[in-house]
Amino acid sequence: MKKRESRDAKVIHFFPNSYFYFERGIAAFREEKIKEAIEYLERAHELEPREPVVMCQLAICYTEIGQFRKSNQFLRYILENLDENMVYCYYFIANNFAYMKDFRRALQYAKRYQELDSSGEYKEEAEDLIQLLLEETPIGVALENNFAKAEQEFYQYKRELNRYLAEEDSASACQVLEKVIDEKPNFWPAYNQLALLYFEDLREEEGLKILYRLLDRSPGNLLGLADLFVYHYFKAHKDEAEALYEELKKVVPILTHHKERLAVLHAMMENYTLAENLFMDIVDLEVTDRPCFYYYRAKTSFYLGQEENAREYWQQFLNCDVYERETFPFSRKGEMAHEAPQILMELCREDVLDHFIGVYALSISSVRAELLLFNPLFEMSNWSYLEHLVFTDFEYLPEGILERNCKCLIQIWNKLGDDILPLSISNLAFYKETLATIFHLSEAEMVLDEERLMGISACFLVRFGGKTASEATQICGEEPFELPFP
């Protein structure tokens, strides 16, 4: 047997250097493993404490976990002690100050970056950040830029505008805003307010024209896109609203007003987790539209299973004194009367039966407040007298045959809708058939007897609800009453 040759074992020692840890830190960062990235980058920084690229990447990671001041310490050290040519650090510093709501210094550093590198890698991001900061900067803050001067000049118009709004003189208020836009075409908030006034006056084409003009001059304007989304949402333009929402959903807002606006949009689209994340980051004193904020905060909390919180926010909404119904409204989803988009769709239909059912759904809806208060396009001028009676729960005594018969029908719907046939897409045919029957019977001048209401209910269940006579009798407590169906 041949002996094996003995060889000396050769051991290769591996000493990872700064570059090794830096590469792994970058890889972890790209995989969104931020804590792991920080561990690698801190080790790389220990090995090469004066390497500016490592420090900059570490600063970016600290921003990701909300340690904005620590991030700025690294970035300033780079500029002051290591490499003054890494001017993009000014943009990162500006971003951190914006997150900390120190808008003055955020603007100063963003402007500094623009001055030093007007065509740099973060040119577009810096422009977007500056635009956001300018939109939210309070009028009283004296900033060394042209926008501040324009905003101070706009203050001259504020008193006049507010006076007209208080007097409900929207025509004069629109004229003020039109003048502002002509003289200060880059004052974006004037576009938003003017479009809203146009919508409230049902001047839809003019409102849309203003929004498109805004977005043409300021592409990606967050509030402009939000206003356009609201328009399509309440017009039941499902595809257009969803396309805009997909764009808005990608936005990570920095400014409080933008967080408030996006939180509401998320709640409108039933994306309650995203809504709650933004709502929680808004200080109560910073809220701009309190009724809207508390309403959607209540709705969000309810559908996240936080009913106690939901009831507290609902009470705060009621304290705003803008809504007359005090009963806590929210219910589990699944029924049409609790789905805002479905109600809006019915209300936008031209068919008489569909529109009537939409009005009824709105009258009993858990989302009635948002469809009345926060819909800039809401109007009842095209409703029939009968629909007004339904909406007011027949507050005024109906005298005509059709009105009296419809009052009976609403009573039947309310009774059956609680447990037997709730108003939903699957049961919509029952509601349309019974309504059409009431119209035909009223045309034939037949008056329904309220004392036979349960017998009529049983009759409808057999004829349109898929129940047998015995089932209907058991449900209603009376045998089906024979009606002369057309």
Side-chain angles (χ1 to χ4, degrees):
M1 186 174 178
K2 189 175 181 181
K3 291 183 179 180
R4 294 179 179 176
E5 295 180 6
S6 63
R7 297 179 181 177
D8 294 334
K10 188 172 184 179
V11 178
I12 300 176
H13 294 281
F14 173 64
F15 297 102
N17 57 17
S18 176
Y19 181 76
F20 170 84
Y21 289 112
F22 177 76
E23 284 291 297
R24 277 153 181 75
I26 293 295
F29 179 81
R30 288 171 178 165
E31 294 174 4
E32 299 184 0
K33 300 176 181 177
I34 306 302
K35 290 185 178 180
E36 184 179 324
I38 289 175
E39 291 177 1
Y40 281 123
L41 292 168
E42 283 181 338
R43 180 58 179 148
H45 177 55
E46 289 175 6
L47 294 172
E48 288 194 48
R50 295 186 62 80
E51 172 50 59
V53 175
V54 173
M55 291 184 72
C56 185
Q57 189 61 47
L58 191 54
I60 292 171
C61 287
Y62 282 129
T63 295
E64 290 291 320
I65 62 172
Q67 295 191 26
F68 308 118
R69 288 184 173 82
K70 190 168 185 177
S71 174
N72 276 352
Q73 289 174 357
F74 277 105
L75 295 167
R76 283 171 167 165
Y77 187 87
I78 292 170
L79 292 167
E80 294 170 8
N81 300 288
L82 301 179
D83 190 349
E84 63 181 13
N85 294 319
M86 289 177 61
V87 293
Y88 50 79
C89 289
Y90 286 109
Y91 165 70
F92 295 140
I93 293 173
N95 206 40
N96 285 333
F97 276 126
Y99 276 118
M100 290 188 285
K101 300 179 183 177
D102 189 340
F103 300 149
R104 178 193 292 273
R105 283 197 281 186
L107 191 58
Q108 289 173 343
Y109 277 97
K111 289 280 190 180
R112 180 65 172 158
Y113 171 69
Q114 280 190 327
E115 291 168 3
L116 294 174
D117 196 357
S118 60
S119 59
E121 180 181 356
Y122 297 96
K123 173 179 177 292
E124 293 183 3
E125 288 87 345
E127 289 175 352
D128 290 342
L129 178 59
I130 289 171
Q131 177 177 300
L132 289 173
L133 293 168
L134 293 179
E135 287 178 8
E136 287 300 307
T137 303
I139 290 175
V141 177
L143 296 171
E144 296 176 358
N145 57 70
N146 293 330
F147 187 88
K149 183 179 178 182
E151 197 164 25
Q152 288 170 357
E153 292 173 356
F154 175 73
Y155 186 69
Q156 301 171 30
Y157 302 100
K158 287 289 279 185
R159 284 187 180 179
E160 186 180 11
L161 178 64
N162 290 337
R163 176 166 61 84
Y164 288 134
L165 292 175
E167 295 172 355
E168 297 186 359
D169 184 356
S170 61
S172 298
C174 287
Q175 289 175 2
V176 172
L177 291 166
E178 288 163 358
K179 184 178 179 182
V180 172
I181 290 173
D182 287 339
E183 296 180 358
K184 310 294 176 187
N186 290 337
F187 189 76
W188 312 130
Y191 292 80
N192 298 107
Q193 191 161 10
L194 180 57
L196 178 61
L197 286 177
Y198 281 150
F199 288 142
E200 290 176 347
D201 287 346
L202 305 180
R203 297 160 65 180
E204 292 182 27
E205 290 186 10
E206 292 171 89
L208 284 174
K209 184 177 179 181
I210 285 294
L211 286 182
Y212 285 124
R213 184 176 167 190
L214 166 61
L215 293 170
D216 183 58
R217 295 186 62 89
S218 176
N221 184 285
L222 179 63
L223 297 182
L225 290 172
D227 286 342
L228 192 58
F229 163 82
V230 168
Y231 169 81
H232 287 300
Y233 178 88
F234 284 113
K235 290 293 288 184
H237 299 160
K238 183 179 178 182
D239 292 341
E240 292 87 343
E242 288 182 351
L244 284 165
Y245 179 65
E246 285 302 312
E247 190 173 345
L248 288 163
K249 192 165 64 172
K250 299 172 186 175
V251 176
V252 180
I254 296 173
L255 307 178
T256 298
H257 180 51
H258 290 173
K259 290 179 182 178
E260 181 183 341
R261 194 72 194 279
L262 279 176
V264 168
L265 299 193
H266 290 319
M268 289 170 67
M269 293 297 284
E270 301 182 1
N271 200 334
Y272 297 117
T273 300
L274 282 180
E276 179 70 359
N277 290 340
L278 292 178
F279 278 135
M280 290 178 65
D281 202 29
I282 299 171
V283 179
D284 186 72
L285 292 175
E286 297 175 331
V287 174
T288 60
D289 187 345
R290 306 186 81 76
C292 188
F293 175 84
Y294 288 124
Y295 175 86
Y296 282 106
R297 188 102 207 245
K299 185 177 182 181
T300 295
S301 295
F302 179 81
Y303 286 116
L304 288 177
Q306 305 164 10
E307 187 165 337
E308 185 176 348
N309 290 342
R311 291 183 178 277
E312 289 179 6
Y313 289 126
W314 175 253
Q315 186 57 51
Q316 289 179 287
F317 164 70
L318 292 177
N319 291 342
C320 296
D321 198 26
V322 294
Y323 191 59
E324 75 281 8
R325 292 190 177 180
E326 296 188 0
T327 306
F328 184 76
F330 301 112
S331 302
R332 295 300 169 191
K333 296 183 293 182
E335 298 178 13
M336 200 178 96
H338 309 309
E339 302 287 348
Q342 188 60 41
I343 295 175
L344 288 167
M345 193 171 297
E346 297 300 316
L347 288 173
C348 289
R349 296 190 196 278
E350 295 183 1
D351 180 80
V352 173
L353 299 180
D354 288 325
H355 193 273
F356 185 99
I357 292 172
V359 171
Y360 170 70
L362 178 61
S363 71
I364 64 170
S365 177
S366 66
V367 294
R368 180 176 179 270
E370 64 189 273
L371 297 182
L372 295 180
L373 295 178
F374 311 128
N375 177 1
L377 302 163
F378 182 76
E379 56 100 13
M380 304 165 68
S381 62
N382 63 334
W383 289 15
S384 67
Y385 171 65
L386 183 61
E387 288 174 329
H388 281 277
L389 287 176
V390 170
F391 186 69
T392 57
D393 196 23
F394 291 88
E395 182 180 352
Y396 304 101
L397 183 65
E399 296 180 356
I401 293 176
L402 177 60
E403 289 79 10
R404 291 163 62 186
N405 285 346
C406 277
K407 182 179 180 181
C408 289
L409 177 65
I410 297 302
Q411 291 174 312
I412 291 171
W413 282 357
N414 289 341
K415 289 179 181 295
L416 297 181
D418 288 338
D419 301 305
I420 310 304
L421 289 171
L423 180 57
S424 62
I425 301 299
S426 59
N427 295 330
L428 196 55
F430 171 82
Y431 285 82
K432 292 185 71 170
E433 292 287 358
T434 53
L435 178 59
T437 298
I438 291 297
F439 284 165
H440 287 305
L441 293 175
S442 299
E443 286 178 5
E445 298 187 350
M446 177 179 177
V447 180
L448 298 185
D449 185 351
E450 287 196 41
E451 293 182 1
R452 296 183 177 275
L453 208 60
M454 298 316 296
I456 297 170
S457 301
C459 176
F460 283 161
L461 285 176
V462 173
R463 187 69 180 251
F464 308 117
K467 305 295 183 183
T468 65
S470 60
E471 288 173 334
T473 301
Q474 185 176 2
I475 291 170
C476 299
E478 288 186 23
E479 293 183 357
F481 177 74
E482 290 299 326
L483 288 171
F485 288 98

